[in-house]
Amino acid sequence: MFKSLYFKIVLILLIFIVAVMCAVSAILMNGVSSYFAGQFSVQMEECFGKETILYGELQEAAKDVQDAAGMKEILSSYGSILGIDAYRNYYVLDGDGNMLTGSDAKLGAQLEITPNLLSAMDGRYDNRIISGTEYADWALPLAEGEVIVYVKDSLEEVQQLNQVIFSIIIQAMFVGILIAILLSFFLAKAITSPIQRLTWGTRLVAEGDFTQPIEVNSRDELGILTENFNYMKDQLKDTLDEVSGEREKLRTVLACMRDAVFTFSAGGKLLHWNDSAAQLYRNSFGQEGDAVLDTCLEEMDIPLQRENGRLRLTSPDAAVERSQDGFVFRDRIFAGRVFDVSFGVIRYAEGRKKVPGCILIAHDVTGRYELDESRREFVANVSHELRTPLTSIKGATETVLSDPEMDEEMREYFLDMILSESDRMTRIVSDLLVLSRLDNKRTKWQVELFDMPSSVRRLCEVMRTDLEAHGHTISCTMEEDLPMVTGDRQRLEQVVINIISNAIKYTPEGGHIDVALFREGDRLVTTVTDNGVGIPEEDIAHIFERFYRVEKSRTSDAGGTGLGLAIAKELVEAHGGQISIQSKLNEGTQVRIELPFVGKLKPAEEE
Ligand code: ADP
């Protein structure tokens, strides 16, 4: 209550009114006293002036010092001019200030010696009105100071008048105070209402409600302030909308980013992370803790250490690239994937301060890494696969050349070896060419509508000699009325030949191979099942990779290149189909080829 504006305004007005009234009463009362004193001296001067009749008469009467009664008579005849009444008296004094006679003998007996009286006793006519005294007096020396006519006013009239003025002022003051209280109420209301509206508005803004404008009821300073507040509120809303829009954009960008983004405080505490980061850690870092950055560094094998809120390289020769504000570490393996990890310094707001922190971005480069790896492996495989037959050819040629006397049978053996190794090289190179064309989408497809069952039946017949050479039996089971297939017949037949040849190659003598064709939805399924050596479980996932072979010694005896299944996969997938393999070691293998009846190869690609 005492702190309210209303109370302050009332208090100020009260103080103002009391102060004004006090000043007015002081000025008035002082003015009345001064006026009275002035009037008194003018009146005395007019009566006792040397040119006046009264002065002449008194002068004459004073010649006889004993004639005080005569002087009294003169003075009383001038009583009304001198203003003699209950408060003002005249006295006739001797040179020592003793009363000879006077209008009030009682008062005259107790006269005090005033400065004016003292001057007259010295024979000087030198009167002064001294302010602040409770009387006004006038002394006229006659007969060279032997006789003094002395007039003294008790000023009681003035005091009574002053008391009346004072009581009027007190009454006026009370009325003024009442008016002040009333006025200050309206004044306070006029001032505080817009301020209260402003306070309400600021509270709404602080709570985030920007919808309610504050009413402007006046054009005064408070009205302008309210208008400016409304304008500021609109501007603030626009800015906040902009900022939240930007933040939303940033949030969406972060959420859509496939890179994992983490930010840490200088103390290593995790501040923010995006969805990819959460996935990377399977949300396990949700519990905040100081050790999170250290855990990341350790788990990603990054040679950085926190030191006084900064990151420092722990091993100077680490494979690191320095960027403008941080480090980049390439090919860090974490959670079974490969990342390029970048560190940067950031500054973020903590309260009102800007404090340093760091940002870690893990860019998943597994695809690139695997591609690079498979390229390197592929080049190594190609070199190895070509070097083996080349070594054999070189060795055989050198042997033949070094021994011209070599018998015919031996020479034929070496020449056969050269021929078969050259064939092997030719097969590898032509398989690689097929794969390269498939990779570069430069294969020239001969798309046609053909009957797959009759093709497979024919292939089984063609391969019968080979089958019999290995002592295998073969059975073909085909569903009735299978629809025709669109695709490159020759290449699809090549796939089936490869699969049956594998079954022949990897089945010990006297095995059985079953070829089956049936329909599954809109697909034609071909399965080739053997009861051969089978494939170990751990090799199955890699069996369609280029140059991948199970136990190289075992399969190179069988004359394989390790490219057959890779080519089959590419060809089947180019037709929009799928190829898969199921196998059990020492029990047998089943290869399953699924083809859509209408393949995805288009005549355009045919060209
Ligand atoms: P290759 O020319 O060496 O036969 P493939 O790509 O056709 O190359 O086959 C890859 C490997 O898969 C072979 O080396 C072989 O070890 C294994 N494989 C393929 N088919 C069979 C099968 N029917 N039975 C057992 N192993 C097989």
PDB file of all heavy atoms in Angstrom, residues 502-503 505-506 530 533-535 543 548-550 554-555 560-566 581 589, ligand 1:
ATOM      1  N   ASN A 502      27.467 -76.054 -61.927  1.00  0.00           N
ATOM      2  CA  ASN A 502      27.939 -76.042 -60.540  1.00  0.00           C
ATOM      3  C   ASN A 502      27.471 -77.291 -59.812  1.00  0.00           C
ATOM      4  O   ASN A 502      28.240 -77.921 -59.082  1.00  0.00           O
ATOM      5  CB  ASN A 502      27.422 -74.810 -59.802  1.00  0.00           C
ATOM      6  CG  ASN A 502      28.285 -73.589 -60.053  1.00  0.00           C
ATOM      7  OD1 ASN A 502      29.367 -73.708 -60.637  1.00  0.00           O
ATOM      8  ND2 ASN A 502      27.826 -72.423 -59.641  1.00  0.00           N
ATOM      9  N   ALA A 503      26.163 -77.621 -60.005  1.00  0.00           N
ATOM     10  CA  ALA A 503      25.618 -78.803 -59.331  1.00  0.00           C
ATOM     11  C   ALA A 503      26.405 -80.046 -59.773  1.00  0.00           C
ATOM     12  O   ALA A 503      26.745 -80.902 -58.942  1.00  0.00           O
ATOM     13  CB  ALA A 503      24.150 -78.940 -59.669  1.00  0.00           C
ATOM     14  N   LYS A 505      29.535 -80.039 -60.971  1.00  0.00           N
ATOM     15  CA  LYS A 505      30.918 -79.928 -60.484  1.00  0.00           C
ATOM     16  C   LYS A 505      31.036 -80.260 -59.008  1.00  0.00           C
ATOM     17  O   LYS A 505      31.990 -80.901 -58.589  1.00  0.00           O
ATOM     18  CB  LYS A 505      31.408 -78.474 -60.683  1.00  0.00           C
ATOM     19  CG  LYS A 505      32.040 -78.206 -62.025  1.00  0.00           C
ATOM     20  CD  LYS A 505      32.779 -76.879 -62.021  1.00  0.00           C
ATOM     21  CE  LYS A 505      31.801 -75.711 -62.180  1.00  0.00           C
ATOM     22  NZ  LYS A 505      32.492 -74.428 -62.195  1.00  0.00           N
ATOM     23  N   TYR A 506      30.089 -79.752 -58.217  1.00  0.00           N
ATOM     24  CA  TYR A 506      30.250 -79.868 -56.757  1.00  0.00           C
ATOM     25  C   TYR A 506      29.420 -81.013 -56.156  1.00  0.00           C
ATOM     26  O   TYR A 506      29.061 -80.984 -55.002  1.00  0.00           O
ATOM     27  CB  TYR A 506      29.909 -78.529 -56.085  1.00  0.00           C
ATOM     28  CG  TYR A 506      30.798 -77.421 -56.638  1.00  0.00           C
ATOM     29  CD1 TYR A 506      30.268 -76.395 -57.408  1.00  0.00           C
ATOM     30  CD2 TYR A 506      32.186 -77.460 -56.421  1.00  0.00           C
ATOM     31  CE1 TYR A 506      31.079 -75.406 -57.940  1.00  0.00           C
ATOM     32  CE2 TYR A 506      32.994 -76.465 -56.952  1.00  0.00           C
ATOM     33  CZ  TYR A 506      32.447 -75.446 -57.721  1.00  0.00           C
ATOM     34  OH  TYR A 506      33.250 -74.499 -58.243  1.00  0.00           O
ATOM     35  N   ASP A 530      20.879 -80.266 -55.701  1.00  0.00           N
ATOM     36  CA  ASP A 530      21.790 -81.420 -55.824  1.00  0.00           C
ATOM     37  C   ASP A 530      22.017 -82.019 -54.442  1.00  0.00           C
ATOM     38  O   ASP A 530      21.629 -81.438 -53.434  1.00  0.00           O
ATOM     39  CB  ASP A 530      23.115 -80.983 -56.478  1.00  0.00           C
ATOM     40  CG  ASP A 530      23.871 -79.991 -55.645  1.00  0.00           C
ATOM     41  OD1 ASP A 530      24.145 -80.279 -54.465  1.00  0.00           O
ATOM     42  OD2 ASP A 530      24.200 -78.868 -56.171  1.00  0.00           O
ATOM     43  N   VAL A 533      28.427 -81.608 -52.281  1.00  0.00           N
ATOM     44  CA  VAL A 533      29.258 -81.305 -51.106  1.00  0.00           C
ATOM     45  C   VAL A 533      28.645 -80.224 -50.209  1.00  0.00           C
ATOM     46  O   VAL A 533      28.971 -80.125 -49.035  1.00  0.00           O
ATOM     47  CB  VAL A 533      30.684 -80.852 -51.521  1.00  0.00           C
ATOM     48  CG1 VAL A 533      31.445 -81.992 -52.171  1.00  0.00           C
ATOM     49  CG2 VAL A 533      30.619 -79.644 -52.451  1.00  0.00           C
ATOM     50  N   GLY A 534      27.779 -79.431 -50.767  1.00  0.00           N
ATOM     51  CA  GLY A 534      27.161 -78.351 -49.982  1.00  0.00           C
ATOM     52  C   GLY A 534      28.130 -77.192 -49.721  1.00  0.00           C
ATOM     53  O   GLY A 534      29.312 -77.243 -50.099  1.00  0.00           O
ATOM     54  N   ILE A 535      27.623 -76.170 -49.091  1.00  0.00           N
ATOM     55  CA  ILE A 535      28.440 -74.967 -48.829  1.00  0.00           C
ATOM     56  C   ILE A 535      28.401 -74.683 -47.328  1.00  0.00           C
ATOM     57  O   ILE A 535      27.315 -74.690 -46.738  1.00  0.00           O
ATOM     58  CB  ILE A 535      27.892 -73.749 -49.605  1.00  0.00           C
ATOM     59  CG1 ILE A 535      27.828 -74.066 -51.108  1.00  0.00           C
ATOM     60  CG2 ILE A 535      28.712 -72.493 -49.353  1.00  0.00           C
ATOM     61  CD1 ILE A 535      27.013 -73.083 -51.907  1.00  0.00           C
ATOM     62  N   ILE A 543      28.541 -65.907 -51.229  1.00  0.00           N
ATOM     63  CA  ILE A 543      28.676 -66.775 -52.397  1.00  0.00           C
ATOM     64  C   ILE A 543      28.445 -66.046 -53.719  1.00  0.00           C
ATOM     65  O   ILE A 543      28.974 -66.432 -54.744  1.00  0.00           O
ATOM     66  CB  ILE A 543      27.741 -68.013 -52.217  1.00  0.00           C
ATOM     67  CG1 ILE A 543      28.354 -69.234 -52.906  1.00  0.00           C
ATOM     68  CG2 ILE A 543      26.347 -67.776 -52.723  1.00  0.00           C
ATOM     69  CD1 ILE A 543      29.450 -69.847 -52.125  1.00  0.00           C
ATOM     70  N   TYR A 548      34.461 -65.042 -55.262  1.00  0.00           N
ATOM     71  CA  TYR A 548      34.350 -65.768 -53.988  1.00  0.00           C
ATOM     72  C   TYR A 548      34.170 -67.251 -54.278  1.00  0.00           C
ATOM     73  O   TYR A 548      33.307 -67.658 -55.046  1.00  0.00           O
ATOM     74  CB  TYR A 548      33.158 -65.258 -53.167  1.00  0.00           C
ATOM     75  CG  TYR A 548      33.247 -65.737 -51.732  1.00  0.00           C
ATOM     76  CD1 TYR A 548      33.943 -65.005 -50.777  1.00  0.00           C
ATOM     77  CD2 TYR A 548      32.678 -66.965 -51.360  1.00  0.00           C
ATOM     78  CE1 TYR A 548      34.061 -65.460 -49.481  1.00  0.00           C
ATOM     79  CE2 TYR A 548      32.805 -67.425 -50.061  1.00  0.00           C
ATOM     80  CZ  TYR A 548      33.489 -66.671 -49.128  1.00  0.00           C
ATOM     81  OH  TYR A 548      33.625 -67.131 -47.841  1.00  0.00           O
ATOM     82  N   ARG A 549      35.058 -67.995 -53.666  1.00  0.00           N
ATOM     83  CA  ARG A 549      34.942 -69.450 -53.831  1.00  0.00           C
ATOM     84  C   ARG A 549      35.146 -70.119 -52.490  1.00  0.00           C
ATOM     85  O   ARG A 549      35.931 -69.663 -51.672  1.00  0.00           O
ATOM     86  CB  ARG A 549      35.978 -69.960 -54.831  1.00  0.00           C
ATOM     87  CG  ARG A 549      35.568 -69.647 -56.263  1.00  0.00           C
ATOM     88  CD  ARG A 549      36.558 -70.102 -57.250  1.00  0.00           C
ATOM     89  NE  ARG A 549      37.828 -69.392 -57.057  1.00  0.00           N
ATOM     90  CZ  ARG A 549      38.907 -69.623 -57.785  1.00  0.00           C
ATOM     91  NH1 ARG A 549      38.872 -70.523 -58.727  1.00  0.00           N
ATOM     92  NH2 ARG A 549      40.007 -68.955 -57.570  1.00  0.00           N
ATOM     93  N   VAL A 550      34.411 -71.237 -52.315  1.00  0.00           N
ATOM     94  CA  VAL A 550      34.572 -71.983 -51.069  1.00  0.00           C
ATOM     95  C   VAL A 550      35.822 -72.841 -51.215  1.00  0.00           C
ATOM     96  O   VAL A 550      35.970 -73.523 -52.219  1.00  0.00           O
ATOM     97  CB  VAL A 550      33.345 -72.889 -50.830  1.00  0.00           C
ATOM     98  CG1 VAL A 550      33.497 -73.652 -49.517  1.00  0.00           C
ATOM     99  CG2 VAL A 550      32.084 -72.069 -50.844  1.00  0.00           C
ATOM    100  N   ARG A 554      39.665 -76.617 -53.407  1.00  0.00           N
ATOM    101  CA  ARG A 554      38.619 -77.557 -53.784  1.00  0.00           C
ATOM    102  C   ARG A 554      37.961 -77.154 -55.099  1.00  0.00           C
ATOM    103  O   ARG A 554      37.775 -77.942 -55.997  1.00  0.00           O
ATOM    104  CB  ARG A 554      37.568 -77.586 -52.660  1.00  0.00           C
ATOM    105  CG  ARG A 554      36.391 -78.432 -52.941  1.00  0.00           C
ATOM    106  CD  ARG A 554      35.378 -78.382 -51.829  1.00  0.00           C
ATOM    107  NE  ARG A 554      34.409 -77.322 -52.043  1.00  0.00           N
ATOM    108  CZ  ARG A 554      33.276 -77.213 -51.371  1.00  0.00           C
ATOM    109  NH1 ARG A 554      32.981 -78.076 -50.425  1.00  0.00           N
ATOM    110  NH2 ARG A 554      32.445 -76.226 -51.612  1.00  0.00           N
ATOM    111  N   THR A 555      37.715 -75.846 -55.222  1.00  0.00           N
ATOM    112  CA  THR A 555      36.964 -75.403 -56.398  1.00  0.00           C
ATOM    113  C   THR A 555      37.844 -75.147 -57.612  1.00  0.00           C
ATOM    114  O   THR A 555      37.381 -75.273 -58.730  1.00  0.00           O
ATOM    115  CB  THR A 555      36.165 -74.146 -56.078  1.00  0.00           C
ATOM    116  OG1 THR A 555      37.037 -73.186 -55.528  1.00  0.00           O
ATOM    117  CG2 THR A 555      35.039 -74.423 -55.120  1.00  0.00           C
ATOM    118  N   GLY A 560      36.621 -73.742 -61.761  1.00  0.00           N
ATOM    119  CA  GLY A 560      35.773 -72.541 -61.652  1.00  0.00           C
ATOM    120  C   GLY A 560      36.593 -71.258 -61.588  1.00  0.00           C
ATOM    121  O   GLY A 560      37.788 -71.262 -61.293  1.00  0.00           O
ATOM    122  N   THR A 561      35.896 -70.130 -61.857  1.00  0.00           N
ATOM    123  CA  THR A 561      36.550 -68.813 -61.788  1.00  0.00           C
ATOM    124  C   THR A 561      36.044 -68.004 -60.602  1.00  0.00           C
ATOM    125  O   THR A 561      36.609 -66.970 -60.254  1.00  0.00           O
ATOM    126  CB  THR A 561      36.264 -67.992 -63.056  1.00  0.00           C
ATOM    127  OG1 THR A 561      34.842 -67.828 -63.144  1.00  0.00           O
ATOM    128  CG2 THR A 561      36.761 -68.670 -64.299  1.00  0.00           C
ATOM    129  N   GLY A 562      34.950 -68.426 -60.017  1.00  0.00           N
ATOM    130  CA  GLY A 562      34.354 -67.663 -58.904  1.00  0.00           C
ATOM    131  C   GLY A 562      33.528 -66.492 -59.397  1.00  0.00           C
ATOM    132  O   GLY A 562      33.147 -65.623 -58.618  1.00  0.00           O
ATOM    133  N   LEU A 563      33.257 -66.456 -60.731  1.00  0.00           N
ATOM    134  CA  LEU A 563      32.465 -65.339 -61.280  1.00  0.00           C
ATOM    135  C   LEU A 563      31.079 -65.782 -61.737  1.00  0.00           C
ATOM    136  O   LEU A 563      30.203 -64.954 -61.962  1.00  0.00           O
ATOM    137  CB  LEU A 563      33.205 -64.704 -62.461  1.00  0.00           C
ATOM    138  CG  LEU A 563      34.496 -63.950 -62.115  1.00  0.00           C
ATOM    139  CD1 LEU A 563      35.239 -63.570 -63.377  1.00  0.00           C
ATOM    140  CD2 LEU A 563      34.190 -62.702 -61.300  1.00  0.00           C
ATOM    141  N   GLY A 564      30.886 -67.097 -61.836  1.00  0.00           N
ATOM    142  CA  GLY A 564      29.631 -67.635 -62.387  1.00  0.00           C
ATOM    143  C   GLY A 564      28.405 -67.149 -61.633  1.00  0.00           C
ATOM    144  O   GLY A 564      27.458 -66.626 -62.238  1.00  0.00           O
ATOM    145  N   LEU A 565      28.386 -67.322 -60.316  1.00  0.00           N
ATOM    146  CA  LEU A 565      27.198 -66.939 -59.540  1.00  0.00           C
ATOM    147  C   LEU A 565      27.008 -65.420 -59.535  1.00  0.00           C
ATOM    148  O   LEU A 565      25.878 -64.933 -59.551  1.00  0.00           O
ATOM    149  CB  LEU A 565      27.305 -67.463 -58.103  1.00  0.00           C
ATOM    150  CG  LEU A 565      26.997 -68.961 -57.917  1.00  0.00           C
ATOM    151  CD1 LEU A 565      27.149 -69.367 -56.463  1.00  0.00           C
ATOM    152  CD2 LEU A 565      25.596 -69.311 -58.413  1.00  0.00           C
ATOM    153  N   ALA A 566      28.162 -64.661 -59.527  1.00  0.00           N
ATOM    154  CA  ALA A 566      28.060 -63.190 -59.550  1.00  0.00           C
ATOM    155  C   ALA A 566      27.370 -62.754 -60.845  1.00  0.00           C
ATOM    156  O   ALA A 566      26.486 -61.878 -60.828  1.00  0.00           O
ATOM    157  CB  ALA A 566      29.443 -62.574 -59.443  1.00  0.00           C
ATOM    158  N   ILE A 581      20.395 -68.910 -52.585  1.00  0.00           N
ATOM    159  CA  ILE A 581      21.008 -70.233 -52.449  1.00  0.00           C
ATOM    160  C   ILE A 581      20.798 -70.756 -51.038  1.00  0.00           C
ATOM    161  O   ILE A 581      20.863 -69.996 -50.069  1.00  0.00           O
ATOM    162  CB  ILE A 581      22.511 -70.141 -52.842  1.00  0.00           C
ATOM    163  CG1 ILE A 581      23.077 -71.498 -53.201  1.00  0.00           C
ATOM    164  CG2 ILE A 581      23.356 -69.482 -51.793  1.00  0.00           C
ATOM    165  CD1 ILE A 581      24.324 -71.423 -54.062  1.00  0.00           C
ATOM    166  N   THR A 589      22.816 -78.736 -52.124  1.00  0.00           N
ATOM    167  CA  THR A 589      22.589 -77.304 -52.331  1.00  0.00           C
ATOM    168  C   THR A 589      21.347 -77.121 -53.193  1.00  0.00           C
ATOM    169  O   THR A 589      21.091 -77.938 -54.085  1.00  0.00           O
ATOM    170  CB  THR A 589      23.815 -76.698 -53.056  1.00  0.00           C
ATOM    171  OG1 THR A 589      24.965 -77.013 -52.287  1.00  0.00           O
ATOM    172  CG2 THR A 589      23.696 -75.213 -53.259  1.00  0.00           C
TER     173      THR A 589
HETATM  174  P1  ADP B   1      32.934 -71.171 -59.925  1.00  0.00           P
HETATM  175  O1  ADP B   1      33.227 -70.789 -61.295  1.00  0.00           O
HETATM  176  O2  ADP B   1      34.118 -71.258 -59.021  1.00  0.00           O
HETATM  177  O3  ADP B   1      32.024 -72.312 -59.814  1.00  0.00           O
HETATM  178  P2  ADP B   1      30.707 -69.755 -59.010  1.00  0.00           P
HETATM  179  O4  ADP B   1      30.517 -68.278 -58.823  1.00  0.00           O
HETATM  180  O5  ADP B   1      29.765 -70.392 -59.962  1.00  0.00           O
HETATM  181  O6  ADP B   1      32.203 -69.923 -59.367  1.00  0.00           O
HETATM  182  O7  ADP B   1      30.542 -70.423 -57.619  1.00  0.00           O
HETATM  183  C1  ADP B   1      31.164 -69.843 -56.509  1.00  0.00           C
HETATM  184  C2  ADP B   1      31.495 -70.915 -55.493  1.00  0.00           C
HETATM  185  O8  ADP B   1      30.258 -71.399 -54.926  1.00  0.00           O
HETATM  186  C3  ADP B   1      32.139 -72.101 -56.057  1.00  0.00           C
HETATM  187  O9  ADP B   1      33.525 -71.904 -56.091  1.00  0.00           O
HETATM  188  C4  ADP B   1      31.705 -73.201 -55.148  1.00  0.00           C
HETATM  189  O10 ADP B   1      32.621 -73.325 -54.077  1.00  0.00           O
HETATM  190  C5  ADP B   1      30.394 -72.751 -54.586  1.00  0.00           C
HETATM  191  N1  ADP B   1      29.269 -73.474 -55.247  1.00  0.00           N
HETATM  192  C6  ADP B   1      28.522 -73.019 -56.264  1.00  0.00           C
HETATM  193  N2  ADP B   1      27.525 -73.914 -56.573  1.00  0.00           N
HETATM  194  C7  ADP B   1      27.677 -74.952 -55.720  1.00  0.00           C
HETATM  195  C8  ADP B   1      27.005 -76.191 -55.516  1.00  0.00           C
HETATM  196  N3  ADP B   1      25.959 -76.513 -56.266  1.00  0.00           N
HETATM  197  N4  ADP B   1      27.430 -76.980 -54.534  1.00  0.00           N
HETATM  198  C9  ADP B   1      28.482 -76.651 -53.750  1.00  0.00           C
HETATM  199  N5  ADP B   1      29.171 -75.505 -53.874  1.00  0.00           N
HETATM  200  C10 ADP B   1      28.791 -74.684 -54.859  1.00  0.00           C
END
